[in-house]
Amino acid sequence: QVQLVESGGGMVQPGRSLRLSCAASGFTFSTYAMHWVRQAPGKGLEWVALISNDGSNKYYADSVKGRFTISRDSSKNTLYLQMNSLRGEDTAVYYCARVTSEAWLSGPFEFWGQGTMVTVSS
Amino acid sequence: QPVLTQSSSASASLGSSVKLTCTLSSGHSTYIIAWHQQQPGKAPRYLMKLEGSGSYNKGSGVPDRFSGSSSGADRYLTISNLQSEDEADYYCETWDSNTVVFGGGTKLTVL
């Protein structure tokens, strides 16, 4: 069965960096686009970034553009989110998610990880 | 890009039915959406993909009590025979080729 397991969250000071990982299993990782979505405490879901199946196309929400970088390693079946210049408003649970169809960059998120918490505070 | 509008809260009695609404912004009334359920303290769970025609495809294991329908720019999620475990936040989602948008979510209380 499809499994997405995030890791790498924690507490970090403003301005510092953190890298999140999402280990994927149960499907052919290299054929699906992947996304990061976050949820600030008590708030709704916010899309963060997407990467195409082969890593050639990457797109970001305006709120993280220039600070966050999405990447993937298909040899390790792992998705990453490098977060630089972190701010208090980046405090959230970060989820990785897979779309339903191999043919789509975006689309309904059929599978979600359990999330990893990132707290940005001094 | 599209905007999705949801009521912030809804309530219904145990065993009854409730219909949640997600409205697409002007110019985006034909967009496909998805519904997700998020129980307290848990990750979101995919419920279904819903087209403007009203046709929907549910995710694996989603009970028959959950159904979808559409009218114009409105997309609906109907939950029948409400159970206590249906008390959750419900989000609609839509997308363009390179971006994804969520509605603000509806908090459903089962009385």
Side-chain angles (χ1 to χ4, degrees):
Chain A
Q1 72 281 20
V2 173
Q3 277 201 306
L4 301 170
V5 180
E6 301 93 337
S7 61
M11 181 173 287
V12 62
Q13 293 179 328
R16 304 298 290 263
S17 299
L18 204 60
R19 188 178 82 156
L20 306 183
S21 300
C22 169
S25 61
F27 65 101
T28 306
F29 181 70
S30 61
T31 63
Y32 286 87
M34 296 293 296
H35 295 244
W36 287 99
V37 176
R38 68 183 180 183
Q39 186 172 35
K43 302 296 184 183
L45 300 170
E46 179 189 16
W47 174 75
V48 173
L50 86 86
I51 186 168
S52 59
N53 66 304
D54 62 359
S56 61
N57 294 292
K58 304 175 185 181
Y59 301 95
Y60 301 91
D62 288 344
S63 57
V64 307
K65 203 173 294 183
R67 300 187 299 122
F68 289 13
T69 301
I70 190 171
S71 63
R72 64 192 297 160
D73 184 340
S74 289
S75 69
K76 296 181 179 179
N77 287 351
T78 301
L79 175 72
Y80 302 101
L81 186 67
Q82 177 68 43
M83 304 185 295
N84 299 332
S85 303
L86 281 161
R87 307 167 178 167
E89 55 264 38
D90 297 319
T91 295
V93 175
Y94 285 74
Y95 298 100
C96 62
R98 198 206 83 177
V99 298
T100 56
S101 171
E102 295 166 305
W104 294 358
L105 264 183
S106 296
F109 294 137
E110 186 174 8
F111 298 99
W112 298 76
Q114 87 289 350
T116 187
M117 181 72 203
V118 173
T119 302
V120 183
S121 174
S122 54
Chain B
Q1 68 182 35
V3 174
L4 298 173
T5 302
Q6 298 182 252
S7 298
S8 59
S9 65
S11 62
S13 300
L14 196 67
S16 69
S17 296
V18 68
K19 191 174 187 179
L20 307 182
T21 305
C22 173
T23 303
L24 287 150
S25 53
S26 177
H28 301 94
S29 63
T30 62
Y31 275 48
I32 300 170
I33 73 151
W35 283 103
H36 302 277
Q37 176 195 60
Q38 187 176 35
Q39 295 173 322
K42 293 191 174 182
R45 174 197 182 190
Y46 172 68
L47 293 177
M48 68 180 66
K49 176 169 68 85
L50 174 60
E51 300 184 16
S53 63
S55 172
Y56 62 94
N57 294 98
K58 292 197 291 187
S60 175
V62 176
D64 292 341
R65 304 184 292 104
F66 291 81
S67 62
S69 59
S70 297
S71 176
D74 291 332
R75 306 286 183 266
Y76 305 107
L77 173 68
T78 299
I79 312 172
S80 305
N81 188 21
L82 271 169
Q83 304 296 303
S84 57
E85 61 264 30
D86 300 330
E87 186 160 290
D89 294 324
Y90 291 84
Y91 293 93
C92 53
E93 172 210 352
T94 195
W95 53 92
D96 268 332
S97 57
N98 56 20
T99 190
V100 175
V101 174
F102 291 97
T106 297
K107 184 177 185 61
L108 175 63
T109 300
V110 179
L111 304 171

